[in-house]
Amino acid sequence: MKIHSSTGLHGCVTVPGDKSVSHRSVMLGALADGVTHVTGFLMGEDCLSTIDCFRKMGVAIEVGVDHDVTVHGVGLHGLREPSERLYTGNSGTTTRLISGILAGQAFPVSLTGDASIEKRPMGRVITPLRQMGADITGVDDKFCPLSIRPSRLHGIEYTLPVASAQLKSAILLAGLYADGPTTVIEPAPSRDHTERMLRQLGCRVEAEGCRITVYPPEKLTASDVAVPADISSAAFFLVAGAIVPNSEVTIRSVGVNPTRDGVIEVLQNMGADITLFNRRDDGEPVCDVTVRSSRLHGVEIGGALIPRLIDELPVLAVAAAFAEGETIIRDAAELKVKESNRILAMVTELTRAGADVTETADGMIIRGGKPLRGASFETYNDHRIAMSMAVCALACAGESEIQNDAVVAISYPDFFDTLRQLGGEPV
Ligand code: SPQ
C-alpha cells in the first residue's frame, strides 16, 4: 500500500465495533441461557477466531449482514468437546479468555494460535488457573499449545503481576465454575468489559477499586449487546486528524469507557483540539468525537494511565514524533509481548522516517518536531504497527509504502477505505 503526504483529512466516519466487547459478546453469549443478538460486531479476523472456537464446541452462531451476530447460548455447562484442537489465530484475547472458560469444562481440549501467539506469554494464565485447581499445561509451562483437562475449580484470591484485562478476565471466567467466590486484585484498573457484561447477564460481580470478586452463578441469562465503535481503531484517525494540517474529522459512537479512554486524555494534554459530544450509554458509554489539526507538544505517559491506552501507544508515539519537545513513555514493558515487540517496532520505523527516538527498558523517548520523510515501513505482522505507520505516512513528506498492509484485517479490515473516505488517498 502506497500512501502520500496528505494536505488535509475531512469527513465523518464510523469505525468498526470494539474488538474486546465483540469477543466477550460471543464468549458470554455462548455460556448464557437464551439467544444473544449482537449489533455492531467487529468482523475482524481475531473475533472470527473466537466465533470459530465456539462453533467447534457446538454453539450455533449466525453471522448476518451489517455486523449482526446471533449467538444461541448453550448455558454454562452446555459446551461440547471439539473434535479437533481449537485454533485462536492471532488473537491473544481469544487464547487467554477461552483458557479460563475451558478450565471449567468437563472435557479435555487443546488450543493454539499462529506463530505470534506461540511466542506470547501464557504462563501468566497457567499459574493462577492451576492455583484454582485447573489441570492445564503448556510448552515449558509458558507458551501455547495449551492442554486443558477436566478438574474441580475452587475460588482463589489472586494479585495480578501486571495490569492485564486478559489475565483478569481468564481468572474471572474460570471463577464462574469455581466452588466459591474468586477475587482478582489488579495493580491498576484495566478494561472492565468482562465485569460489565457478566453483570448484564445477571452474574454478581463486585468491584472495590482494583479488587474484583465474581460469585459463581447458577446460570447466565442472555442479554443483547450493542457493541460501541472501537476507541483503539478511532485512535488512528484522532491522531491523523491532529497531525495532518487542515483536517477536521468526526468519528461517530466511539466507546469511551473510562478504562479505555486514556488516548483522548493524552492527546488533549498534548494540545489536540478534540471535542466529545452526544454522550449516551448503551451498556458501555459512547459519544461522537471531533478532532481538528492542532500544534501538539510533548508529554509524559506512564503509571496507571498505561492500561487505559496500552493499544494506542504505537499511534501516540507517531503523534509525539510530530509534537514539539520531548515525550517520555514509561511503565509500558507490556508492549514488548503484544503481536510484535511494539516498542522496538515503533522505534525502528519512526527512526526510518527520520525521527529522533530512543528505546528504553519500559518505553521510549521521542524528541519530536523534526520534519519526517516517507519510507518503506515494515509492519512486523502487527495490525497496530501497520495502521500507526500509515498515519505517520500521511504527515511525512513524499510517498511511503506500508509493507504487508493486509495485516490490518486482524482488527480493522476496512482501514484503508476509511482513510480514502477522509481524503487520505492510499493507492
Ligand atoms: O487480543 P490481542 O492480540 O492481545 O490484542 C491486543 C490488540 O492490540 O488488539 C493486544 F495486542 O489488545 C488487547 C489489549 O492489549 C485486548 C485486551 C482485551 O480485550 O482484554 C486487553 C489488552 O491486553 P492485556 O494483555 O493488557 O490484557
Side-chain angles (χ1 to χ4, degrees), residues 68-89:
D68 288 347
V69 167
T70 306
V71 185
H72 297 264
V74 294
L76 279 169
H77 302 282
L79 295 177
R80 288 206 309 265
E81 181 174 348
S83 58
E84 55 185 294
R85 177 182 270 180
L86 298 179
Y87 182 69
T88 58

Short mmCIF file of all heavy atoms in Angstrom, two decimals, residues 68-89:
data_model
loop_
_atom_site.label_atom_id
_atom_site.label_comp_id
_atom_site.label_asym_id
_atom_site.label_seq_id
_atom_site.Cartn_x
_atom_site.Cartn_y
_atom_site.Cartn_z
N ASP A 68 -24.25 -7.94 12.28
CA ASP A 68 -25.14 -8.55 13.28
C ASP A 68 -24.72 -10.00 13.50
O ASP A 68 -24.49 -10.74 12.55
CB ASP A 68 -26.60 -8.56 12.77
CG ASP A 68 -27.19 -7.17 12.78
OD1 ASP A 68 -26.57 -6.27 13.38
OD2 ASP A 68 -28.25 -6.99 12.16
N VAL A 69 -24.67 -10.39 14.75
CA VAL A 69 -24.33 -11.79 15.08
C VAL A 69 -25.37 -12.29 16.07
O VAL A 69 -25.77 -11.57 16.98
CB VAL A 69 -22.90 -11.87 15.68
CG1 VAL A 69 -22.63 -13.22 16.30
CG2 VAL A 69 -21.85 -11.57 14.61
N THR A 70 -25.81 -13.52 15.87
CA THR A 70 -26.76 -14.14 16.81
C THR A 70 -26.09 -15.37 17.42
O THR A 70 -25.62 -16.25 16.70
CB THR A 70 -28.05 -14.56 16.08
OG1 THR A 70 -28.55 -13.40 15.39
CG2 THR A 70 -29.10 -15.05 17.05
N VAL A 71 -26.05 -15.38 18.74
CA VAL A 71 -25.40 -16.50 19.45
C VAL A 71 -26.49 -17.28 20.19
O VAL A 71 -27.21 -16.72 21.02
CB VAL A 71 -24.37 -15.96 20.48
CG1 VAL A 71 -23.62 -17.12 21.13
CG2 VAL A 71 -23.41 -14.97 19.84
N HIS A 72 -26.59 -18.56 19.88
CA HIS A 72 -27.56 -19.42 20.55
C HIS A 72 -26.87 -20.05 21.75
O HIS A 72 -26.13 -21.03 21.60
CB HIS A 72 -28.11 -20.47 19.57
CG HIS A 72 -28.86 -19.84 18.43
ND1 HIS A 72 -30.23 -19.70 18.44
CD2 HIS A 72 -28.42 -19.28 17.27
CE1 HIS A 72 -30.60 -19.09 17.32
NE2 HIS A 72 -29.53 -18.82 16.59
N GLY A 73 -27.08 -19.45 22.90
CA GLY A 73 -26.37 -19.88 24.11
C GLY A 73 -26.69 -21.32 24.48
O GLY A 73 -27.80 -21.80 24.27
N VAL A 74 -25.69 -22.01 25.02
CA VAL A 74 -25.88 -23.41 25.42
C VAL A 74 -25.85 -23.56 26.94
O VAL A 74 -25.95 -24.66 27.47
CB VAL A 74 -24.80 -24.32 24.78
CG1 VAL A 74 -24.95 -24.36 23.27
CG2 VAL A 74 -23.38 -23.87 25.17
N GLY A 75 -25.69 -22.44 27.65
CA GLY A 75 -25.64 -22.50 29.12
C GLY A 75 -24.22 -22.77 29.60
O GLY A 75 -23.36 -23.18 28.83
N LEU A 76 -24.02 -22.56 30.89
CA LEU A 76 -22.67 -22.68 31.47
C LEU A 76 -22.07 -24.06 31.26
O LEU A 76 -20.85 -24.21 31.15
CB LEU A 76 -22.74 -22.38 32.98
CG LEU A 76 -22.75 -20.91 33.38
CD1 LEU A 76 -23.10 -20.76 34.86
CD2 LEU A 76 -21.40 -20.25 33.08
N HIS A 77 -22.93 -25.11 31.22
CA HIS A 77 -22.40 -26.48 31.14
C HIS A 77 -22.77 -27.15 29.82
O HIS A 77 -22.76 -28.38 29.72
CB HIS A 77 -22.92 -27.29 32.34
CG HIS A 77 -22.51 -26.64 33.64
ND1 HIS A 77 -21.24 -26.75 34.16
CD2 HIS A 77 -23.20 -25.83 34.48
CE1 HIS A 77 -21.17 -26.04 35.28
NE2 HIS A 77 -22.35 -25.46 35.49
N GLY A 78 -23.07 -26.35 28.79
CA GLY A 78 -23.55 -26.94 27.54
C GLY A 78 -22.53 -27.04 26.42
O GLY A 78 -22.85 -27.53 25.34
N LEU A 79 -21.29 -26.58 26.64
CA LEU A 79 -20.29 -26.69 25.56
C LEU A 79 -19.97 -28.17 25.35
O LEU A 79 -20.02 -28.97 26.29
CB LEU A 79 -19.01 -25.93 25.93
CG LEU A 79 -19.13 -24.40 26.07
CD1 LEU A 79 -17.79 -23.81 26.50
CD2 LEU A 79 -19.61 -23.76 24.78
N ARG A 80 -19.61 -28.52 24.08
CA ARG A 80 -19.28 -29.92 23.78
C ARG A 80 -17.80 -30.04 23.40
O ARG A 80 -17.19 -29.10 22.90
CB ARG A 80 -20.15 -30.40 22.62
CG ARG A 80 -21.60 -30.61 23.01
CD ARG A 80 -22.27 -31.63 22.11
NE ARG A 80 -22.07 -31.31 20.69
CZ ARG A 80 -22.93 -30.63 19.94
NH1 ARG A 80 -24.04 -30.17 20.46
NH2 ARG A 80 -22.68 -30.41 18.66
N GLU A 81 -17.25 -31.24 23.63
CA GLU A 81 -15.83 -31.47 23.31
C GLU A 81 -15.60 -31.26 21.81
O GLU A 81 -16.30 -31.87 20.99
CB GLU A 81 -15.45 -32.90 23.72
CG GLU A 81 -13.99 -33.20 23.45
CD GLU A 81 -13.57 -34.57 23.99
OE1 GLU A 81 -14.34 -35.19 24.75
OE2 GLU A 81 -12.46 -34.99 23.63
N PRO A 82 -14.66 -30.43 21.42
CA PRO A 82 -14.41 -30.23 19.99
C PRO A 82 -13.70 -31.46 19.41
O PRO A 82 -12.98 -32.14 20.13
CB PRO A 82 -13.49 -29.00 19.96
CG PRO A 82 -12.84 -28.96 21.30
CD PRO A 82 -13.77 -29.62 22.27
N SER A 83 -13.91 -31.70 18.11
CA SER A 83 -13.29 -32.89 17.52
C SER A 83 -11.85 -32.61 17.12
O SER A 83 -11.13 -33.50 16.71
CB SER A 83 -14.11 -33.35 16.31
OG SER A 83 -14.17 -32.26 15.40
N GLU A 84 -11.44 -31.36 17.20
CA GLU A 84 -10.05 -31.02 16.85
C GLU A 84 -9.54 -29.93 17.79
O GLU A 84 -10.32 -29.33 18.55
CB GLU A 84 -9.97 -30.55 15.40
CG GLU A 84 -10.90 -29.39 15.11
CD GLU A 84 -10.94 -28.99 13.64
OE1 GLU A 84 -9.91 -28.51 13.15
OE2 GLU A 84 -12.01 -29.13 13.03
N ARG A 85 -8.24 -29.69 17.70
CA ARG A 85 -7.62 -28.63 18.52
C ARG A 85 -8.24 -27.28 18.16
O ARG A 85 -8.49 -27.00 16.98
CB ARG A 85 -6.13 -28.63 18.19
CG ARG A 85 -5.35 -27.56 18.88
CD ARG A 85 -3.89 -27.60 18.45
NE ARG A 85 -3.12 -28.47 19.31
CZ ARG A 85 -1.81 -28.69 19.16
NH1 ARG A 85 -1.16 -28.12 18.17
NH2 ARG A 85 -1.16 -29.48 19.99
N LEU A 86 -8.50 -26.44 19.15
CA LEU A 86 -9.03 -25.09 18.88
C LEU A 86 -7.90 -24.22 18.36
O LEU A 86 -6.76 -24.29 18.85
CB LEU A 86 -9.63 -24.48 20.14
CG LEU A 86 -10.82 -25.23 20.76
CD1 LEU A 86 -11.30 -24.51 22.02
CD2 LEU A 86 -11.98 -25.37 19.76
N TYR A 87 -8.22 -23.38 17.37
CA TYR A 87 -7.20 -22.51 16.77
C TYR A 87 -7.62 -21.06 16.98
O TYR A 87 -8.67 -20.63 16.52
CB TYR A 87 -7.07 -22.83 15.28
CG TYR A 87 -6.00 -22.01 14.60
CD1 TYR A 87 -4.65 -22.22 14.89
CD2 TYR A 87 -6.34 -21.00 13.70
CE1 TYR A 87 -3.66 -21.45 14.29
CE2 TYR A 87 -5.35 -20.22 13.10
CZ TYR A 87 -4.02 -20.46 13.41
OH TYR A 87 -3.05 -19.69 12.82
N THR A 88 -6.77 -20.31 17.68
CA THR A 88 -7.14 -18.94 18.06
C THR A 88 -6.52 -17.88 17.16
O THR A 88 -6.60 -16.68 17.47
CB THR A 88 -6.74 -18.68 19.53
OG1 THR A 88 -5.32 -18.90 19.65
CG2 THR A 88 -7.46 -19.62 20.49
N GLY A 89 -5.87 -18.31 16.08
CA GLY A 89 -5.31 -17.35 15.10
C GLY A 89 -4.28 -16.45 15.75
O GLY A 89 -3.36 -16.89 16.43
#
